[in-house]
């Protein structure tokens, strides 16, 4: 994904102390800054996409930040070592005293951030995480990653996937991603998730959804959904859908006189023979024999 960040900013009393170094990646822009700040320096920043600021030195005693500009003194707080700023969230800064700082700016296209998180945590949790700001003073979990990424920006030596994986790990280590639910820890779907899946699949009528579609319906990653679905239902997603289609076929057979071929077409089977084969495997009888038994 070709991406270059869009950002409005204005600073006073801050100047670059070394050439800015950057690297453009897949949906990411990594920028390494060395700067000097005067006492009373100020800044304003607003980006269209999410971004991460990581400071290699502790500036909490020198820099105050706020997301409001109406009463900076009352609404400000110390700048943390690592800050995640969601898209569209403004930031004002003010420096108490002169100091020099080094920091890494990671600009993330929101779709790229979602694409990284969703396979592991699901759509809902990923959407929630990228909208929630984070400020972290204890950066021990991601400091080594940030230093490795800075080295790769200064002297690129590996394929871009290496730098991208470092960014991904920093994102995962910094963002406030909800902890696993008790149901997930137990390896099963919740009843609410099963109800949602059942309702959605009934609206389709043919009970033919891919695992990816089923996982997206209940806001889970495909890999996690596939691993817990059988523990929840006792069937694989394909077996479960087939059994639901046969249940629907039974209802149509019992309630009316539709030809078996028509029922097969209505429920998405390739032909009458396909329905008959699956029906016999699950119900133990052919559709015609089952209907006769019900009528008898």
């Amino acid at each position: 994904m070709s991406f270059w960040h869009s950002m409005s900013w204005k600073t006073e009393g801050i100047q670059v102390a070394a050439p800015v170094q950057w690297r453009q990646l897949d949906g990411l822009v990594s920028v390494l800054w060395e700067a000097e700040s005067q006492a009373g320096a100020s800044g304003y920043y607003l980006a269209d996409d999410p971004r991460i600021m990581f400071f290699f030195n502790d500036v909490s005693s020198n820099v105050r930040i706020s997301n409001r500009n109406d009463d900076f003194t009352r609404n400000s707080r110390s700048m943390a070592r690592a800050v995640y700023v969601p898209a569209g969230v403004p930031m004002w800064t003010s420096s108490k005293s002169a100091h020099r700082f080094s920091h890494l700016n990671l600009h993330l296209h929101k779709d790229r951030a979602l694409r990284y998180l969703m396979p592991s945590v699901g759509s809902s949790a990923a959407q929630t995480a990228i909208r929630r700001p984070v400020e972290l003073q204890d950066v021990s979990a991601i400091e080594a990653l940030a230093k490795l990424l800075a080295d790769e920006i200064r002297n690129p030596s590996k394929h871009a996937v290496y730098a991208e994986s470092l960014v991904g790990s920093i994102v995962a280590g910094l963002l406030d991603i909800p902890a696993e639910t008790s149901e997930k820890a137990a390896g099963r779907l919740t009843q609410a998730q099963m109800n949602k899946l059942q309702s959605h699949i009934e609206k389709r009528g043919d009970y033919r959804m891919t695992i990816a579609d089923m996982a997206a319906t209940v806001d889970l990653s495909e890999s996690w959904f596939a691993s817990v679905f059988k523990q929840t239902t006792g069937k694989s997603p394909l077996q479960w859908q087939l059994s639901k289609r046969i249940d629907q076929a039974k209802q149509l057979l019992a309630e009316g006189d539709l030809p078996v071929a028509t029922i097969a077409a209505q429920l998405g089977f390739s032909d009458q023979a396909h329905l008959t084969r699956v029906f016999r495997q699950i119900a133990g009888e052919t559709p015609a024999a089952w209907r006769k038994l019900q009528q008898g």
Side-chain angles (χ1 to χ4, degrees):
M1 177 192 299
S2 179
F3 166 69
W4 187 258
H5 59 286
S6 174
M7 185 169 179
S8 300
W9 59 280
K10 181 181 179 181
T11 61
E12 293 182 4
I14 302 174
Q15 57 185 359
V16 176
V20 177
Q21 296 175 292
W22 57 273
R23 188 167 181 184
Q24 188 175 22
L25 302 165
D26 176 24
L28 313 166
V29 179
S30 303
V31 188
L32 192 59
W33 293 86
E34 299 278 349
E36 294 178 344
S37 176
Q38 302 173 6
S42 61
Y44 165 74
Y45 312 88
L46 177 63
D48 294 337
D49 292 278
R51 64 191 179 96
I52 291 172
M53 301 171 63
F54 181 93
F55 288 86
F56 292 97
N57 55 310
D58 187 353
V59 298
S60 59
S61 61
N62 290 317
V63 182
R64 304 286 294 179
I65 66 171
S66 177
N67 303 114
R68 298 170 55 180
N69 200 33
D70 52 352
D71 188 346
F72 190 89
T73 301
R74 185 175 64 181
N75 296 318
S76 65
R77 56 201 181 275
S78 297
M79 174 71 84
R81 288 282 306 277
V83 178
Y84 170 74
V85 187
V89 175
M91 176 185 289
W92 286 266
T93 66
S94 177
S95 298
K96 292 182 179 180
S97 57
H99 65 281
R100 182 165 179 156
F101 60 92
S102 171
H103 79 281
L104 182 65
N105 264 7
L106 304 177
H107 300 269
L108 318 168
H109 190 287
K110 64 178 182 179
D111 291 344
R112 179 65 171 87
L114 289 173
R115 178 155 53 94
Y116 176 77
L117 293 172
M118 284 173 58
S120 298
V121 305
S123 175
S124 180
Q127 292 279 0
T128 299
I130 69 168
R131 290 194 297 263
R132 183 178 293 154
V134 177
E135 296 175 15
L136 192 66
Q137 183 62 18
D138 180 1
V139 295
S140 55
I142 59 174
E143 186 169 17
L145 299 169
K147 289 179 177 179
L148 289 171
L149 180 58
D151 290 341
E152 189 63 16
I153 295 171
R154 293 188 187 99
N155 299 295
S157 60
K158 296 180 174 64
H159 192 279
V161 70
Y162 171 67
E164 290 166 5
S165 67
L166 290 173
V167 174
S169 296
I170 291 171
V171 169
L174 179 59
L175 264 61
D176 185 10
I177 301 172
E180 294 181 345
T181 63
S182 59
E183 289 81 8
K184 183 170 181 179
R188 63 180 184 271
L189 300 176
T190 66
Q191 187 58 51
Q193 288 171 321
M194 288 302 302
N195 291 343
K196 185 176 181 180
L197 185 61
Q198 178 72 25
S199 175
H200 185 83
I201 207 166
E202 284 178 353
K203 289 178 182 178
R204 292 173 58 97
D206 60 0
Y207 287 92
R208 298 180 67 185
M209 293 178 68
T210 65
I211 294 178
D213 289 338
M214 295 173 74
T217 299
V218 292
D219 294 326
L220 292 176
S221 68
E222 183 176 346
S223 58
W224 172 253
F225 178 85
S227 70
V228 299
F229 187 87
K230 190 167 186 178
Q231 296 181 55
T232 305
T233 65
K235 300 180 177 71
S236 71
L238 175 59
Q239 291 170 335
W240 183 80
Q241 289 189 75
L242 281 174
S243 69
K244 293 297 182 182
R245 290 163 76 188
I246 295 305
D247 288 344
Q248 187 76 358
K250 287 179 178 179
Q251 183 176 343
L252 294 173
L253 288 165
E255 293 179 351
D257 56 0
L258 285 175
V260 175
T262 301
I263 293 174
Q266 184 172 323
L267 296 180
F269 290 92
S270 57
D271 53 27
Q272 180 175 336
H274 183 201
L275 170 59
T276 298
R277 183 171 64 254
V278 175
F279 196 99
R280 179 185 286 145
Q281 290 173 349
I282 294 175
E285 301 283 353
T286 66
W290 188 90
R291 171 181 266 170
K292 184 178 292 187
L293 287 172
Q294 297 303 306
Q295 292 173 345

